[in-house]
Amino acid sequence: QSGTTKSADKNYKKGEEPTENSVHSSHLVCSLVNRHPDWRIINLDNLDYCCSLRSLESVEDRSNYTFIRGDVCNSRLVKHIFSTENIDVVFHLAAKSHVGEQRSFQRVNVDGTRVLLGAAHQARHRPQVFVYVSTDEVYGAGLDQVFDENSPVRPSNPYAATKAAAEYLVRSYWDQYKFPVIITRSNNIYGPRQFTEKVIPRFLTLLQMNKKCTIQGTLPKSRHFLFVSDAVDAFLLVLEKGIVGEIYNVGSSCEIPIMQLARELVRMVKDIPDSEVNDWLEFVPDRPRVDLRYPITCEKLQQLGWRAQVSWTEGIRQTVKWYQDNPDFWSERNQQRIQLEDASDL
């Protein structure tokens, strides 16, 4: 059974709240609005600290775009949206991920998913597909193991546990009701407009303030990084060709040790000799448990025709340039929320 079939008169809803990589939420909205002027895009967003309407300035006046400020956990609001709009597609990216927000993991990641699923399932106009955007962290850490979609789910931190719980909710609606769901599990997504609690924009912001990159602990942690436009292309391909009831890894072969990442950004931002690069690194206490790496394979997605198009060299160049050109984009939010001296959040 294939994914949704699109037509000009369809209304497409994209559900969003503060997200683990809110960068890809705004990029997805902008891509949908720009690529499909005959679709109507409804964006539900709570505008928490890591979100900004400035990320959506390019589409805010478009006739096919509607913004609703609201909480995905507000069942009355969500039911109202589904009862008054003919929603054909849901992209559900709402999540809490920051380590300082653990008390709200359950509420947003699990309860929000329950509310959205319930409203979508009970709507008079049933959506053709519900895409739940999850994370590679549900697999747990992998040292010599590479995870595919059939690998066991073994989350090892509270955030990943709530994302896994939400996945089980999503799958239950397929198993019980044949409600058309698709789950994606992606690597770390990066790019312009990402909030500064995440490792790449945090390092860049610290360097712009002439502060050192703070690195948690001394263990050899690494992450796979996927440029935001490649992630958006994957989500749109899953919408077009994905099979309902299936899971798709959205992965990158670009694995970067965090120490190497910090050094590379120092070289790009600071005009200094290599002998002085380490002077811009500072080690801080590690969190109680941090997984060393999350390797996944995305052959299943590649069979649909997806390939990452943006190299690490080009993606990080674009990202660094954007933060250099927009140093004040997140400044107000940073003052309200982020203590830049703290350890970076992977």
Side-chain angles (χ1 to χ4, degrees):
Q1 190 173 5
S2 64
T4 183
T5 302
K6 299 177 289 295
S7 67
D9 61 347
K10 293 188 181 299
N11 293 314
Y12 282 79
K13 174 182 184 295
K14 157 33 188 103
E16 177 191 350
E17 211 186 294
T19 66
E20 67 214 71
N21 284 303
S22 57
V23 58
H24 62 272
S25 302
S26 65
H27 283 263
L28 176 59
V29 169
C30 292
S31 292
L32 286 167
V33 172
N34 290 321
R35 295 186 193 186
H36 302 285
D38 53 343
W39 297 1
R40 180 163 175 239
I41 313 302
I42 302 175
N43 175 18
L44 174 64
D45 192 325
N46 201 32
L47 286 185
D48 205 349
Y49 70 93
C50 62
C51 298
S52 172
L53 284 176
R54 294 181 65 187
S55 296
L56 296 157
E57 285 178 342
S58 66
V59 299
E60 63 183 4
D61 295 326
R62 297 286 293 275
S63 60
N64 64 328
Y65 174 67
T66 300
F67 174 77
I68 300 174
R69 181 169 185 175
D71 191 337
V72 74
C73 297
N74 184 338
S75 60
R76 180 177 297 181
L77 171 62
V78 174
K79 288 179 181 178
H80 174 75
I81 294 171
F82 278 97
S83 66
T84 56
E85 304 285 351
N86 292 328
I87 306 299
D88 290 304
V89 169
V90 180
F91 278 101
H92 175 27
L93 296 93
K96 284 279 193 176
S97 66
H98 184 52
V99 291
E101 297 292 320
Q102 293 190 17
R103 286 179 296 180
S104 57
F105 285 167
Q106 169 77 25
R107 190 186 80 84
V108 175
N109 299 355
V110 181
D111 294 344
T113 301
R114 175 184 54 80
V115 168
L116 202 56
L117 277 168
H121 177 248
Q122 295 168 12
R124 288 181 294 112
H125 181 92
R126 181 168 127 160
Q128 295 177 27
V129 65
F130 182 110
V131 181
Y132 178 64
V133 178
S134 189
T135 171
D136 56 2
E137 293 192 39
V138 298
Y139 293 118
L143 295 178
D144 301 321
Q145 182 179 7
V146 177
F147 301 114
D148 64 22
E149 292 84 354
N150 294 317
S151 298
V153 171
R154 294 172 178 168
S156 56
N157 63 67
Y159 159 67
T162 57
K163 292 293 284 186
E167 282 194 18
Y168 281 117
L169 271 176
V170 173
R171 288 301 300 270
S172 73
Y173 271 72
W174 169 250
D175 294 337
Q176 183 73 25
Y177 309 113
K178 288 297 179 273
F179 184 67
V181 303
I182 295 175
I183 295 171
T184 67
R185 295 170 178 161
S186 57
N187 284 148
N188 284 43
I189 299 170
Y190 75 100
R193 306 202 300 266
Q194 188 170 33
F195 186 56
T196 54
E197 72 185 7
K198 296 304 176 184
V199 63
I200 291 176
R202 178 181 285 271
F203 283 170
L204 291 173
T205 305
L206 285 166
L207 292 169
Q208 287 173 346
M209 297 174 65
N210 284 320
K211 296 177 180 286
K212 297 181 179 182
C213 297
T214 53
I215 299 173
Q216 295 174 333
T218 57
L219 293 176
K221 294 184 290 290
S222 66
R223 291 294 180 266
H224 291 75
F225 290 101
L226 181 67
F227 192 64
V228 62
S229 62
D230 285 326
V232 169
D233 287 346
F235 298 146
L236 296 181
L237 182 64
V238 164
L239 171 61
E240 180 183 0
K241 296 183 178 180
I243 300 174
V244 295
E246 294 294 322
I247 299 170
Y248 294 91
N249 284 344
V250 183
S252 166
S253 60
C254 175
E255 183 174 10
I256 308 291
I258 300 305
M259 181 82 72
Q260 176 184 324
L261 170 66
R263 289 185 174 127
E264 186 169 345
L265 293 179
V266 169
R267 292 187 186 98
M268 295 179 74
V269 174
K270 301 292 182 182
D271 185 17
I272 57 174
D274 286 351
S275 60
E276 297 179 15
V277 168
N278 286 346
D279 295 340
W280 288 91
L281 309 182
E282 178 183 356
F283 292 93
V284 298
D286 212 341
R287 298 207 299 267
R289 178 189 173 113
V290 179
D291 294 330
L292 297 184
R293 57 194 299 264
Y294 300 107
I296 61 175
T297 178
C298 54
E299 292 179 8
K300 189 172 175 181
L301 181 64
Q302 291 172 345
Q303 289 173 3
L304 299 183
W306 180 84
R307 296 290 187 279
Q309 300 297 315
V310 181
S311 67
W312 167 254
T313 300
E314 176 59 20
I316 199 62
R317 185 197 66 79
Q318 290 185 31
T319 302
V320 169
K321 184 178 187 305
W322 186 89
Y323 283 93
Q324 290 174 331
D325 292 344
N326 299 273
D328 300 323
F329 188 88
W330 291 111
S331 58
E332 182 178 345
R333 300 281 178 149
N334 284 335
Q335 293 168 6
Q336 296 173 352
R337 181 74 189 184
I338 298 297
Q339 296 297 321
L340 288 167
E341 293 79 9
D342 288 348
S344 61
D345 185 6
L346 299 179

